[in-house]
């Protein structure tokens, strides 16, 4: 069946996301799938039983639009404990259908036609389409291989009366880099006398390695006053398919967020929220995740020591970039496909996260996998010469 009239696409350049494309290719070729970021091991059985028990108790109807209050209270306790930040559970926290929805809704609530939004590049792929759908204009700041450091003076020079928002992401997907306290202070300083709103994507807040502490925007009160901060339960509790996350912002920003949220998803899965509220009471349920993933990162790295791939530093997230320039000079999109079809390991090419044509000879591999999966993938990668 085909719609007969002409369609003027609102996103003429958008195709299907690279995650969907590579996961499908991995399935078709029975490749080890280290492309799309999701764990191949189970979420806690205790958490799963909790969801089930709340379903059996009959908590199966709509949750409040903002999320259930007990979960919002647990979140505020955590924000205070970890980041010494005080948020009001009634008016400053909203439970969302994952991080992507939170980001989309925050952008939609804030960005007007003609507004400029500063986005780093490479960046996670959901930011700019949301800006464009609002009639906004993404303004890119390129982060250069291999360190991907932010030059804040370069960012400041882009500010003008149309600059409405800046989107940051720490730990960063796809590069695995993190912003330091100096970075966040600098952002606080350069935005001080502006109307710029910050969206801080912190979905990997618990996945930092080598003793680094997560520098949440929430730790910087002057910056937090202008910021939406986005978090994810799926990344923390190994259940990305539950699509549950949350967003935090000062009351006046959150009021605008909720105006859109209520007409978008309205509210999020009820039994899952009750289960998460119980599960979050125990700090150990989220505090051990950094060590857990650091072991996986190190296991994957040591299994690759005889390969021709070169490891880039991964300070956070569950992604490892591998430079393949000693193997081939082909385009990363071509090499990622060849690696999946001919060798049987799927990854994500980094160039798709840049806006302009950038030559990038690095692929992203997800190590949120069992040792068996990582071993199998590494064994294959060591054979690629
Ligand atoms: N966040 C996941 C990743 O980076 C992908 C989620 C998705 O497929 N949209 O791989």
């Amino acid at each position: 069946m085909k719609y007969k009239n002409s369609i003027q696409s609102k996103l003429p350049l958008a195709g299907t996301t690279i995650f969907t494309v590579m996961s499908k290719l991995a399935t078709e070729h029975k490749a080890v799938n280290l492309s799309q970021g999701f764990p191949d091991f189970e979420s806690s059985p205790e958490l799963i039983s909790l969801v089930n028990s709340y379903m059996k108790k009959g908590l199966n109807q709509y949750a409040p639009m903002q999320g259930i209050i007990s979960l919002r209270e647990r979140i505020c306790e955590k924000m205070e404990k970890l980041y010494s930040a005080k948020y009001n559970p009634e008016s400053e926290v909203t439970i969302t259908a994952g991080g992507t929805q939170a980001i989309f809704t925050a952008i939609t609530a804030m960005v007007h036609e003609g507004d400029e939004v500063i986005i780093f590049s490479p960046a996670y792929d959901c930011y700019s389409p949301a800006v464009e759908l609002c009639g906004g204009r993404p303004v890119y700041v390129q982060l250069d291989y291999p360190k991907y450091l932010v030059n804040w003076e370069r960012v400041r020079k882009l500010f003008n009366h149309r600059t409405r928002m800046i989107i940051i992401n720490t730990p960063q997907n796809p590069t695995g880099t993190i912003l330091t306290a100096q970075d966040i202070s600098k952002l606080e300083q350069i935005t001080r006398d502006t109307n710029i709103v910050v969206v801080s994507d912190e979905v990997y807040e618990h996945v930092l390695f080598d003793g680094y502490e997560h520098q949440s925007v929430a730790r910087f009160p002057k910056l937090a006053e202008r910021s939406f901060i986005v978090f994810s339960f799926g990344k923390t509790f190994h259940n990305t398919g539950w699509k549950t996350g949350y967003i935090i912002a000062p009351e006046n920003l959150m009021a605008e967020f909720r105006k859109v949220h209520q007409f978008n998803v309205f509210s999020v899965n009820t039994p899952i929220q009750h289960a998460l509220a119980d599960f979050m009471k125990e700090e150990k349920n989220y505090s051990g995740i950094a060590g857990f993933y650091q072991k996986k990162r190190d296991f994957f790295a040591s299994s690759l020591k005889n390969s021709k791939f070169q490891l880039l530093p991964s300070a956070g997230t569950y992604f490892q970039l591998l430079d393949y320039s000693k193997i081939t000079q082909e385009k990363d999109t071509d090499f990622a496909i060849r690696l999946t079809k001919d060798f049987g390991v799927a990854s994500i090419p980094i160039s798709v996260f840049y806006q302009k044509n950038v030559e990038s000879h690095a692929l992203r591999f997800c190590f949120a996998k069992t040792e068996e999966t990582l071993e199998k993938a590494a064994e294959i990668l060591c054979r690629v010469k």
Side-chain angles (χ1 to χ4, degrees):
M1 216 196 304
K2 211 165 182 185
Y3 178 65
K4 292 205 184 62
N5 302 324
S6 66
I7 302 165
Q8 210 189 341
S9 175
K10 294 193 78 176
L11 290 173
L13 300 179
T16 305
T17 81
I18 190 70
F19 308 113
T20 308
V21 170
M22 291 311 296
S23 271
K24 182 164 175 277
L25 200 67
T27 311
E28 281 167 10
H29 293 271
K30 298 194 174 51
V32 186
N33 188 4
L34 305 193
S35 63
Q36 195 178 25
F38 62 87
D40 74 343
F41 42 85
E42 271 313 319
S43 185
S44 149
E46 185 196 337
L47 181 53
I48 291 171
S49 313
L50 281 167
V51 176
N52 196 243
S53 75
Y54 282 112
M55 284 180 164
K56 285 186 183 148
K57 274 185 199 150
L59 287 157
N60 297 305
Q61 307 308 327
Y62 294 126
M65 180 271 278
Q66 308 86 337
I68 65 164
I69 189 65
S70 58
L71 181 56
R72 288 184 280 142
E73 282 166 356
R74 290 301 83 72
I75 288 167
C76 289
E77 284 159 20
K78 192 197 86 169
M79 292 302 289
E80 188 156 10
K81 202 183 298 176
L82 295 188
Y83 308 127
S84 312
K86 273 201 165 38
Y87 283 93
N88 180 339
E90 280 293 348
S91 54
E92 299 184 317
V93 184
T94 301
I95 311 301
T96 62
T100 302
Q101 184 248 311
I103 292 163
F104 189 91
T105 304
I107 291 171
T108 308
M110 288 293 120
V111 174
H112 292 258
E113 182 98 33
D115 283 351
E116 292 185 1
V117 176
I118 296 176
I119 297 176
F120 294 97
S121 163
Y124 189 60
D125 66 344
C126 78
Y127 308 150
S128 46
V131 171
E132 283 161 9
L133 285 171
C134 295
R137 192 170 82 85
V139 175
Y140 298 103
V141 179
Q142 194 168 313
L143 306 177
D144 293 324
Y145 175 94
K147 292 202 167 149
Y148 305 105
L149 295 176
V150 179
N151 178 334
W152 293 105
E153 274 316 303
R154 212 151 102 195
V155 174
R156 196 186 54 79
K157 286 200 184 111
L158 296 171
F159 291 179
N160 65 60
H161 68 281
R162 286 196 209 92
T163 313
R164 170 96 295 244
M165 178 180 283
I166 171 161
I167 304 178
I168 61 168
N169 175 209
T170 183
Q172 211 241 19
N173 184 3
T175 61
T177 54
I178 53 174
L179 294 175
T180 63
Q182 285 96 306
D183 286 310
I184 312 282
S185 302
K186 196 73 202 188
L187 175 62
E188 182 173 63
Q189 190 192 322
I190 63 175
T191 52
R192 187 156 290 164
D193 298 315
T194 70
N195 283 325
I196 297 171
V197 169
V198 172
V199 169
S200 185
D201 175 352
E202 302 185 14
V203 296
Y204 296 99
E205 67 176 324
H206 299 300
V207 192
L208 276 84
F209 311 127
D210 308 316
Y212 284 118
E213 278 199 331
H214 175 55
Q215 295 302 326
S216 175
V217 158
R219 291 183 194 259
F220 298 76
K222 279 283 157 222
L223 190 59
E225 278 174 12
R226 59 173 76 245
S227 299
F228 288 98
I229 317 179
V230 177
F231 299 96
S232 158
F233 290 114
K235 311 287 185 291
T236 304
F237 297 130
H238 319 310
N239 44 34
T240 59
W242 291 9
K243 291 299 299 175
T244 317
Y246 54 101
I247 187 160
I248 289 186
E251 190 166 344
N252 54 344
L253 291 182
M254 189 56 83
E256 293 305 312
F257 179 94
R258 288 177 178 173
K259 285 183 194 172
V260 180
H261 179 78
Q262 66 187 342
F263 297 125
N264 181 6
V265 291
F266 181 65
S267 72
V268 173
N269 191 304
T270 308
I272 286 180
Q273 290 192 59
H274 283 280
L276 288 167
D278 286 355
F279 201 64
M280 275 190 83
K281 281 184 199 146
E282 292 282 343
E283 197 179 334
K284 67 163 174 37
N285 286 338
Y286 54 83
S287 61
I289 289 154
F292 172 79
Y293 276 123
Q294 184 164 325
K295 271 202 202 123
K296 293 196 178 290
R297 180 199 64 170
D298 294 346
F299 179 79
F300 188 48
S302 69
S303 314
L304 286 169
K305 65 176 180 299
N306 294 324
S307 87
K308 284 181 88 180
F309 287 94
Q310 287 168 289
L311 287 109
L312 270 72
S314 169
T317 72
Y318 41 55
F319 303 115
Q320 172 69 62
L321 292 192
L322 296 181
D323 182 302
Y324 61 84
S325 49
K326 285 196 173 153
I327 298 169
T328 169
Q329 290 306 308
E330 68 197 288
K331 263 172 61 183
D332 63 348
T333 39
D334 294 341
F335 187 47
I337 292 171
R338 190 161 73 85
L339 207 54
T340 311
K341 287 187 176 169
D342 297 355
F343 289 91
V345 180
S347 60
I348 297 285
I350 294 305
S351 64
V352 301
F353 299 110
Y354 284 98
Q355 299 317 309
K356 19 182 224 211
N357 246 341
V358 169
E359 243 194 66
S360 167
H361 289 144
L363 298 175
R364 192 199 79 175
F365 294 80
C366 172
F367 56 80
K369 306 291 168 188
T370 61
E371 288 205 350
E372 287 96 292
T373 308
L374 294 175
E375 205 162 20
K376 201 165 149 199
E379 206 181 286
I380 297 171
L381 294 174
C382 287
R383 276 192 259 127
V384 185
K385 300 285 178 204

